[in-house]
Amino acid sequence: MVMLDVICRSGAYSPDDIIVAHFDHGIRQNSGEDAEFVRKKTTEYGVQFRLGEGKLGARTSEDSARDARYEFLYSIDPYAPIFVAHHLDDLVETVAINSLRGTGWRGLAGLNRQNIRRPFLEMDLLYEPMDKAAIIEYAAKRRLNFREDQSNSSDEYLRNRIRHEMNNSGLNFEQKMEIYRLWQKQKELKDEIDTQIVKLLPEDGVWQRSWFREMDAAIALELLRAGTLRAGAPATRPQLEDFRQAILNYAPGKYFNLPGDRLVKLNKDDFELL
C-alpha cells in the first residue's frame, strides 16, 4: 500500500500505465479478503487491477509460493517492469538466509531477478532506502490502511525466524545501510564476473577433466554454474561441488546426475555439457 501510494504520488507514472497485480496463493482461508481489499484500493487510486489465484494449499513452501507468484506477475506483461515492495529489512534477511543456505558470495548479490524494480531499495522515487519502520511511519502519516499477512508471525518459515531474531538483535538503520552498500557493490561484481565466466565456456560443450585438476575450486564452481545454466540444468552450490568432485574422482564411464534427471557421462579425458 505504501509503495502504491509513493508511485502514484510521485507523478512519474500515469494511472493508465499502472497495473496492480495481486496473487492469491490460496494458502490461507481468508486470503480472498486480501484480494478484495486490494481491488477496492485500486479503484480509489484509479489504476488497473489483475488478480491471479493459485489454490496452492496450506502446506506450500515459501519457495513454491514465490515461484507461482512470479510466474503470474511475468505473465501479465513480459516486457513491463515489475515493482515489488522489498525493503531494507528484506534485503538483510535475504543475505542472512542465503548465507545459511551456503550460497557463497552470490548470497550477498540476491534480490536480483530480471526486470524487477524495488522502489524501497532504489533512490529514483525516494531520497534513501526505506526499512520496515520507515514504511510503517509513512503509512501512519498518510493514514494508509493495509492488511497484515497472518503467516508473517509464524515461525514455520525460515525467513520469519530470521526476521524475529533480527528484530531482537538491535540492528540499527546505519548497520542495515552497510549491508545495503555491500549489496550494491556485490551486484556490480556479479555482473562483471558473469560476463567474464561466460566467455570461458567451451563453445562445443566439451569440457576437459584436466581443467578441474589445475583450477581453483571457486573458479571451477563458477564455470560449472554457468555451464549448467546454459545446459538448462541449474544446480545449487552443494550440487555443483558434488559435480566438481565427480569430475575429479569418478572413473571413466560413470555418470553424474544433474537436476532434472540430467545425466552427464564422464569419459576418461572429457565430458559433454550441452
Side-chain angles (χ1 to χ4, degrees), residues 207-222:
W207 300 59
Q208 300 300 315
R209 298 180 71 174
S210 60
W211 298 344
F212 295 88
R213 300 187 186 98
E214 303 165 357
M215 191 183 300
D216 180 84
I219 298 175
L221 290 175
E222 289 300 321

Side-chain angles (χ1 to χ4, degrees), residues 1-5 7-8 14-23 33-52 72 76 144-146:
M1 290 297 105
V2 169
M3 182 180 71
L4 177 60
D5 191 74
I7 291 173
C8 289
S14 165
D16 292 338
D17 293 330
I18 298 173
I19 299 174
V20 173
H22 179 84
F23 188 68
E33 297 174 11
D34 295 345
E36 180 60 19
F37 173 82
V38 175
R39 186 192 65 76
K40 289 180 179 179
K41 287 297 179 182
T42 58
T43 300
E44 293 177 17
Y45 282 97
V47 297
Q48 303 172 67
F49 177 66
R50 298 287 189 278
L51 175 65
F72 162 67
I76 294 173
L144 300 179
N145 296 322
F146 58 89

Side-chain angles (χ1 to χ4, degrees), residues 85-188:
H86 292 138
H87 48 73
L88 199 52
D89 292 329
D90 290 324
L91 172 61
V92 175
E93 292 163 11
T94 298
V95 169
I97 288 172
N98 289 343
S99 297
L100 288 173
R101 288 177 171 173
T103 56
W105 67 269
R106 286 182 178 274
L108 192 54
L111 296 185
N112 204 27
R113 276 180 181 260
Q114 185 178 4
N115 213 30
I116 298 295
R117 294 283 307 276
R118 296 176 172 84
F120 295 142
L121 293 176
E122 301 170 4
M123 283 174 271
D124 291 352
L125 303 178
L126 302 165
Y127 69 92
E128 69 176 358
M130 293 179 72
D131 61 4
K132 183 67 175 288
I135 290 171
I136 295 296
E137 182 180 357
Y138 181 102
K141 287 181 178 179
R142 290 278 301 143
R143 298 182 179 180
L144 300 179
N145 296 322
F146 58 89
R147 290 178 63 87
E148 185 75 21
D149 188 337
Q150 294 175 344
S151 67
N152 286 345
S153 61
S154 171
D155 279 343
E156 181 178 349
Y157 298 107
L158 174 61
R159 180 174 293 274
N160 291 349
R161 296 196 296 272
I162 289 176
R163 180 175 301 152
H164 297 157
E165 289 288 337
M166 192 176 76
N167 290 340
N168 294 328
S169 69
L171 198 67
N172 61 38
F173 183 80
E174 182 52 37
Q175 289 170 322
K176 297 173 188 176
M177 283 299 296
E178 288 180 15
I179 296 175
Y180 172 83
R181 287 187 282 269
L182 287 171
W183 172 65
Q184 286 187 309
K185 291 179 180 178
Q186 199 73 354
K187 285 199 302 177
E188 294 175 3

Side-chain angles (χ1 to χ4, degrees), residues 105 112 186-196:
W105 67 269
N112 204 27
Q186 199 73 354
K187 285 199 302 177
E188 294 175 3
L189 287 171
K190 172 188 170 297
D191 292 342
E192 178 61 23
I193 289 171
D194 286 345
T195 298
Q196 298 303 323

